[in-house]
Amino acid sequence: MTPSDVIKFAEKHGAKFVDLKFIDLPGIWQHTTVTIQQLKEDSFEDGFGLDGSSIRGWQPINASDMLLVPDPTTARMDPFTQYPTISLICNVYDPITKEPYSRDPRNIIRKAEKYLKSTGLADVCYFGPEAEFFVFDDIRYDAQPNQSFYYIDSSEGRWNSGREEFPNLGYKPNYKGGYFPVAPTDSLGNLRAEMVTTMQELGIYVETLHHEVATGGQCEIDMRFLPMLEMADTLMWFKYIVKNVARRNGKTATFMPKPLYGDNGSGMHCHQSLWKGEKPLFPGDGYAGLSEMALYYIGGIIKHAKSICAFTNPSTNSYRRLTPGFEAPVNLAYSSRNRSASIRIPMFSSSPKAKRIEFRTPDPSCNPYLGFAAMMLAGLDGIEKRIHPGEPLDKDIYAMSPEELKEVPSVPASLDEALKALRADHEFLLKGDVFTPDVIDTWVEFKTNHEVDPVRLRPVPLEFALYYDC
């Protein structure tokens, strides 16, 4: 849409308000709303004022004025507002220099797409993330100097198989037993269908929807791949829709990677491919039907995986999921069909257009603008430096002995380790000025000060069971 088209679109739908959405550095959508009378064609150049000092990871209070400039191509009617509201995703600009703000994640991914084209290697990088999530019936948590706790409940939770429910009808998925059972064991089919219907009304192309492995309401809805920036925007709509549909049905949805102990966590497997014009660049006559370029792309991701985990697995909770010997792929190897490797080459289709690689380590706490950009830049570095990923690992990695695994690199064991890796290995992210040293420093400092240290310094309830009588 052009600015003029957006004005007509708003009039057609009787919009009374304009919701201006943007993303903070950690990856949560923020918004402010103006009346429809404030939206003019020149609004798409002049923007709207914002206090940047109140946004996480952004400006100091002495330089707080920022501009939100709507992207007219992102216009959609918000499906959850009581009064008709047109939603626009915004880019952030410095009001003095009129330059895009370097810490705006959407600006970073726009620069990544521009850099890709400047290399001449490809025109577009497609992403297809599979963002898993949980749907719970109740969640309570608190953290005080003298107490901390969390309590999760779900009518599907196996832990409720013996609860008096007047009557308890059973049909609760077993631990690790939630993959593909029909109703009534899968009780969330209608809820997922409502989520997908809402997505489709907004033009989001959904391919599949199903219950996932864990008990207690784990789900997956898969979207068709899109160019990197467009998919990052779409993933934010995806999360917004999932959470709001759950809420209006009296439930709560979370993309937290590991909310339940002893069962599967939520990953975000990221399918990726490069194209030039109408030509896919990853099919070839190499291993699993891959081109040399695709193998080098894999080599780049494996080489830089420890540092890109600071963006693709950016929470302390991410590393409760990334634990050796459990379900998440932590070993930095590649293989066809093998889901125990961190990079899989899907073999469902023989079509060259379907040839892609799937990085299985990321999780949905990821800021997609930063995570997608970091993965692509790592892959491009592999292509530019001809980094071969070595031999594929077609064995079941979970069944391999420690002796066999000692030569296979693995992802970081904690967010702190990932941030240290990012400090040591980020030159590839600076190409094309996509990430800047300031963004890297700000990310590391924010995550350390606001997440790593607060979690590291607090006792957890299990420690009392283990150590109170020491």
Side-chain angles (χ1 to χ4, degrees), residues 121-249:
L121 295 170
D123 298 327
V124 61
C125 182
Y126 285 108
F127 268 83
E130 301 176 358
E132 298 167 343
F133 57 94
F134 279 87
V135 175
F136 296 133
D137 293 303
D138 189 40
I139 174 69
R140 291 181 282 127
Y141 51 87
D142 199 5
Q144 301 293 340
N146 67 321
Q147 66 162 336
S148 65
F149 79 96
Y150 68 90
Y151 179 83
I152 297 168
D153 206 7
S154 165
S155 60
E156 277 198 355
R158 187 68 173 192
W159 57 85
N160 283 324
S161 61
R163 182 172 67 177
E164 291 188 14
E165 295 181 345
F166 308 104
N168 187 325
L169 300 177
Y171 300 116
K172 302 181 190 301
N174 205 349
Y175 299 106
K176 299 183 182 292
Y179 199 62
F180 282 24
V182 298
T185 302
D186 176 5
S187 68
L188 297 171
N190 289 335
L191 185 70
R192 289 194 302 273
E194 184 179 339
M195 293 170 177
V196 169
T197 300
T198 306
M199 293 175 193
Q200 291 173 327
E201 289 170 353
L202 294 185
I204 297 173
Y205 191 125
V206 175
E207 296 184 328
T208 60
L209 51 154
H210 58 84
H211 204 287
E212 256 299 340
V213 173
T215 191
Q218 191 181 33
C219 297
E220 182 176 319
I221 297 171
D222 295 335
M223 299 175 286
R224 185 176 177 82
F225 63 89
L226 289 168
M228 192 163 56
L229 169 59
E230 190 177 350
M231 178 51 81
D233 286 344
T234 302
L235 184 58
M236 296 311 298
W237 271 110
F238 176 95
K239 296 174 82 168
Y240 182 72
I241 290 166
V242 165
K243 291 176 183 178
N244 279 283
V245 168
R247 183 178 176 86
R248 76 184 179 193
N249 282 273

Side-chain angles (χ1 to χ4, degrees), residues 245-260:
V245 168
R247 183 178 176 86
R248 76 184 179 193
N249 282 273
K251 295 182 181 291
T252 177
T254 180
F255 291 88
M256 183 178 177
K258 190 73 172 179
L260 296 180

Side-chain angles (χ1 to χ4, degrees), residues 18-313:
V18 183
D19 202 51
L20 304 170
K21 293 181 172 68
F22 62 99
I23 192 164
D24 66 8
L25 193 63
I28 303 297
W29 245 0
Q30 311 293 316
H31 80 131
T32 184
T33 307
V34 299
T35 58
I36 193 64
Q37 292 81 7
Q38 306 307 308
L39 186 67
K40 311 292 184 185
E41 286 193 39
D42 57 12
S43 301
F44 295 89
E45 291 186 8
D46 297 341
F48 298 87
L50 170 73
D51 176 6
S53 68
S54 298
I55 307 303
R56 296 183 301 171
W58 280 16
Q59 290 292 87
I61 198 167
N62 61 310
S64 60
D65 287 354
M66 306 296 292
L67 281 178
L68 293 178
V69 179
D71 181 341
T73 67
T74 66
R76 284 174 165 144
M77 293 302 294
D78 192 306
F80 300 105
T81 54
Q82 181 178 353
Y83 301 98
T85 300
I86 186 172
S87 174
L88 291 161
I89 301 176
C90 298
N91 299 312
V92 184
Y93 285 78
D94 186 296
I96 307 300
T97 66
K98 304 299 182 183
E99 292 292 319
Y101 182 42
S102 63
R103 295 186 192 175
D104 173 18
R106 201 165 189 270
N107 176 39
I108 289 170
I109 201 170
R110 288 162 64 210
K111 288 191 291 182
E113 289 192 326
K114 182 178 179 181
Y115 173 70
L116 172 64
K117 292 177 181 177
S118 76
T119 66
L121 295 170
D123 298 327
V124 61
C125 182
Y126 285 108
F127 268 83
E130 301 176 358
E132 298 167 343
F133 57 94
F134 279 87
V135 175
F136 296 133
D137 293 303
D138 189 40
I139 174 69
R140 291 181 282 127
Y141 51 87
D142 199 5
Q144 301 293 340
N146 67 321
Q147 66 162 336
S148 65
F149 79 96
Y150 68 90
Y151 179 83
I152 297 168
D153 206 7
S154 165
S155 60
E156 277 198 355
R158 187 68 173 192
W159 57 85
N160 283 324
S161 61
R163 182 172 67 177
E164 291 188 14
E165 295 181 345
F166 308 104
N168 187 325
L169 300 177
Y171 300 116
K172 302 181 190 301
N174 205 349
Y175 299 106
K176 299 183 182 292
Y179 199 62
F180 282 24
V182 298
T185 302
D186 176 5
S187 68
L188 297 171
N190 289 335
L191 185 70
R192 289 194 302 273
E194 184 179 339
M195 293 170 177
V196 169
T197 300
T198 306
M199 293 175 193
Q200 291 173 327
E201 289 170 353
L202 294 185
I204 297 173
Y205 191 125
V206 175
E207 296 184 328
T208 60
L209 51 154
H210 58 84
H211 204 287
E212 256 299 340
V213 173
T215 191
Q218 191 181 33
C219 297
E220 182 176 319
I221 297 171
D222 295 335
M223 299 175 286
R224 185 176 177 82
F225 63 89
L226 289 168
M228 192 163 56
L229 169 59
E230 190 177 350
M231 178 51 81
D233 286 344
T234 302
L235 184 58
M236 296 311 298
W237 271 110
F238 176 95
K239 296 174 82 168
Y240 182 72
I241 290 166
V242 165
K243 291 176 183 178
N244 279 283
V245 168
R247 183 178 176 86
R248 76 184 179 193
N249 282 273
K251 295 182 181 291
T252 177
T254 180
F255 291 88
M256 183 178 177
K258 190 73 172 179
L260 296 180
Y261 168 71
D263 213 330
N264 281 32
S266 292
M268 188 176 73
H269 309 153
C270 289
H271 297 254
Q272 304 164 51
S273 63
L274 294 178
W275 289 56
K276 192 165 188 177
E278 297 299 314
K279 180 183 178 183
L281 301 178
F282 278 7
D285 56 6
Y287 173 80
L290 292 178
S291 65
E292 187 177 59
M293 175 182 280
L295 288 169
Y296 290 150
Y297 190 98
I298 291 171
I301 287 184
I302 290 177
K303 176 178 174 60
H304 298 297
K306 291 181 185 290
S307 64
I308 64 177
C309 277
F311 295 111
T312 61
N313 304 82

Side-chain angles (χ1 to χ4, degrees), residues 353-374:
K353 292 184 177 182
K355 188 58 65 178
R356 61 198 186 274
I357 67 108
E358 176 194 11
F359 187 32
R360 297 173 59 80
T361 298
D363 68 57
S365 66
C366 165
N367 179 331
Y369 300 91
L370 304 182
F372 293 173

